[in-house]
Amino acid sequence: MKCINELLKQKKLLIAFIVLAGITLRFYGLGDRSLWFDESLVVLEASKTLPEVLSVRAEGIHPPLFRLILHFLIKKTGTPVLPLDRGLDSGGAVSPGPDGEDVSPAVMDTVVQGDFNEYILRLPSVFFSLIAVILVYMLGRVLFGVNIALLTAGIMSISAFQVHYAQEIKMYALLQCVSLTSCLLLISALRSGKRSFWIAYSLINVLAFYTHYFTVLLLAGESIFVLIYFYRRINREFVKYWLGSLFLTVVLFLPWVMNMSRHLSRVGNDFWLSPLTWRQSIGVFQNFFWGYYTGSAGFIIGKIDVFILCLLGMFCLCIRSRKIASTGEKEKPSLWDNADSSLFVLCGALIPVLCAIGLSFVFRPVFFDRPLIFTSGFYYLFFSCGLCYLGRKNRIASFFLLAVFCGVSWFSLRNYYSDKCFTVSPGVVQRKPLRKMCAYITRNYRPDDAVVLSHHSIVYPLACYLPKRISGRTYLLEPQIKDKYERSTLNGMMGTSGVKFASWRQFSGACRGLWVICSGWNQEIISLPKDMAEWLSNQKLIRENSEFKGQKVYYYELKH
């Protein structure tokens, strides 16, 4: 432990190393992965006109801030997002036109892959995730000092969970960033009493609400803490500032309230998340540290490590905040003390989680890790507090547990980059090589061919990657869905992607060739209906390709 303390003394060097590690991990392989379902939906929505970006139907059930950022990034960089049938490719050769003339494979590659830059589109998430590393350091330093701040920032920097959402075109890294900013501004407002901090606190909360509706859980944790904070003090002159800041937040969010009510109504009718289980609940906290690529036995010791240190850290903070139980000491000599720091972390970590669990039983299941990403920094603080406390009692044990944590973190990152040992988690889907598959289809596509999908899980990505002349002839097999909510959702998907419903009988005599893509969520392969499979058995199979993980691609020449 002595060597760890010596390292912690080199504060500036360590901060630079932590930030550099975060930059390296977040930029490594940034543009390598194809878009998955959710990412491609965000891109399709952000590529539309501004009124459409702000539409209540845009991107399902989420507020518009991240879409707006992506919309203006696309507009500013001039990066074409939707596949375009250009008159000339980058090399000057004629690209496919409306009459569908054949082109060379080289030109086809350019049309499919040159029109889309995943690297640029993922930069906002990288930026917000890196800012969050700095912010969690600042939060840890304000609450507990530099040593715990460094450990907490280090955890966030190398967490496969944080890296995952830093490399995803979704709003979660932004939510992490604005939430940490909200915490810092609230602490600054309480410690200084300056109205400027309260105004800034209101504005950042408005941005958080326009990022994700789970901001209400963040404010629930902060509000519980503020009530305890003022209860402990006789001098409560800042109560009016706090109430005023909440009022300003509500007023500035009013323009979106009607849209929010429609979104909540849709969620209330149905939601894809399954009923809450104890295993899923434990998995949420595990994912905060390791991410989703933990399907190997070696992670068991890491889970035990995290559980012990987080529990120890929580215990230490409870002990530090015991002053709240004392009587006759409501007036404090200062506006902030050690008990306040401990209570702030306890409220920030536990209240949102308890609220989400409660909503899962009285409303709809909503307890999962992605929207609760803003609480992850508090659990990193638990871990860091537990490690430092153990270090004062037993240096060897603390050093051993730190080494175990770093080792398991390295394995989780390695699995993430290599796409191995994926563990299924609510709302998270293993990536597929959709960009390569679309390039393969485009190279071999012939005029009058059609593309048919067995499952809707790749509808949005194909709308992004296939040229218009092919995506315009892409169809989803008509599903047998009776539920109104599911049918409405699927109809919305078709409208956004431009893909159309079709029965397999419509292809008989209507096209020369048929591309059939069998796919599903993760590695699941959804087979064709039995009657369609029988019909295709009488057609001429030209190509069969199973090289694209999680998908099977067939090309049939149809008989007339």
Side-chain angles (χ1 to χ4, degrees), residues 245-547:
S245 70
L246 294 181
F247 177 76
L248 180 59
T249 298
V250 171
V251 168
L252 294 177
F253 190 65
L254 280 177
W256 191 259
V257 167
M258 288 298 296
N259 291 342
M260 181 183 72
S261 65
R262 294 173 188 172
H263 288 164
L264 293 179
S265 176
R266 291 181 60 198
V267 173
N269 291 331
D270 194 14
F271 195 49
W272 53 263
L273 198 65
S274 58
L276 189 64
T277 64
W278 67 270
R279 188 181 296 275
Q280 176 188 331
S281 302
I282 295 174
V284 167
F285 306 108
Q286 170 193 317
N287 293 342
F288 284 162
F289 289 87
W290 315 126
Y292 308 106
Y293 293 81
T294 58
S296 57
F299 280 90
I300 294 176
I301 188 172
K303 297 173 186 177
I304 296 172
D305 181 357
V306 166
F307 176 77
I308 291 173
L309 289 177
C310 284
L311 200 61
L312 185 60
M314 194 181 303
F315 172 76
C316 294
L317 295 185
C318 289
I319 295 300
R320 288 186 62 180
S321 62
R322 68 185 182 275
K323 292 181 181 180
I324 192 172
S326 62
T327 59
E329 263 190 76
K330 288 186 179 179
E331 185 171 10
K332 301 295 175 181
S334 66
L335 292 174
W336 196 271
D337 57 27
N338 290 336
D340 293 319
S341 296
S342 300
L343 285 167
F344 185 84
V345 176
L346 290 168
C347 290
L350 301 180
I351 299 301
V353 167
L354 293 174
C355 289
I357 293 174
L359 286 172
S360 297
F361 289 106
V362 301
F363 177 57
R364 299 294 301 177
V366 293
F367 181 64
F368 59 118
D369 49 57
R370 290 190 301 176
L372 287 170
I373 190 172
F374 64 88
T375 67
S376 61
F378 295 114
Y379 289 93
Y380 302 155
L381 282 168
F382 283 154
F383 182 93
S384 301
C385 290
L387 184 66
C388 288
Y389 176 80
L390 183 62
R392 291 192 293 269
K393 304 294 182 180
N394 191 320
R395 294 180 178 179
I396 295 176
S398 65
F399 184 81
F400 172 76
L401 292 179
L402 179 62
V404 168
F405 176 81
C406 292
V408 177
S409 295
W410 182 83
F411 277 105
S412 66
L413 287 167
R414 188 193 65 172
N415 291 345
Y416 168 74
Y417 292 122
S418 60
D419 200 22
K420 295 178 180 178
C421 302
F422 177 73
T423 301
V424 176
S425 186
V428 183
V429 176
Q430 192 170 11
R431 307 300 172 87
K432 298 178 180 181
L434 294 169
R435 180 175 50 197
K436 292 182 179 179
M437 186 193 72
C438 289
Y440 169 77
I441 292 174
T442 307
R443 282 196 302 268
N444 298 287
Y445 184 87
R446 300 188 301 174
D448 297 325
D449 283 351
V451 180
V452 62
L453 314 177
S454 70
H455 191 257
H456 64 270
S457 57
I458 58 173
V459 163
Y460 289 141
L462 263 60
C464 289
Y465 284 124
L466 288 176
K468 276 188 178 180
R469 65 189 186 90
I470 302 178
S471 62
R473 292 179 59 81
T474 301
Y475 305 87
L476 176 67
L477 289 177
E478 182 74 37
Q480 301 300 317
I481 297 178
K482 296 182 180 180
D483 183 84
K484 290 183 179 180
Y485 175 82
E486 290 186 27
R487 170 59 65 175
S488 173
T489 300
L490 204 54
N491 288 338
M493 288 172 55
M494 300 299 103
T496 299
S497 65
V499 174
K500 297 168 282 294
F501 288 122
S503 168
W504 65 268
R505 293 179 177 83
Q506 295 176 230
F507 301 111
S508 181
C511 52
R512 185 169 71 174
L514 187 65
W515 290 91
V516 179
I517 306 175
C518 294
S519 184
W521 299 117
N522 299 317
Q523 300 307 304
E524 179 186 19
I525 302 294
I526 304 296
S527 301
L528 296 173
K530 186 177 180 181
D531 50 357
M532 183 176 183
E534 290 177 358
W535 172 68
L536 286 174
S537 66
N538 296 319
Q539 311 302 317
K540 185 177 180 181
L541 179 62
I542 304 298
R543 297 176 184 271
E544 180 178 354
N545 196 319
S546 300
E547 295 179 2

Side-chain angles (χ1 to χ4, degrees), residues 136-200:
V136 83
Y137 167 80
M138 296 170 63
L139 182 64
R141 187 180 63 180
V142 166
L143 295 176
F144 304 115
V146 175
N147 289 356
I148 288 178
L150 287 170
L151 287 170
T152 306
I155 294 170
M156 183 171 283
S157 178
I158 67 173
S159 168
F161 178 76
Q162 301 293 336
V163 173
H164 181 104
Y165 289 108
Q167 295 192 338
E168 183 172 274
I169 309 173
K170 291 282 284 180
M171 79 292 289
Y172 299 109
L174 173 59
L175 178 61
Q176 177 81 282
C177 185
V178 294
S179 299
L180 288 170
T181 306
S182 172
C183 292
L184 283 167
L185 287 173
L186 176 59
I187 293 172
S188 298
L190 291 171
R191 294 177 69 172
S192 68
K194 293 182 179 179
R195 280 180 291 182
S196 57
F197 282 119
W198 287 111
I199 294 172

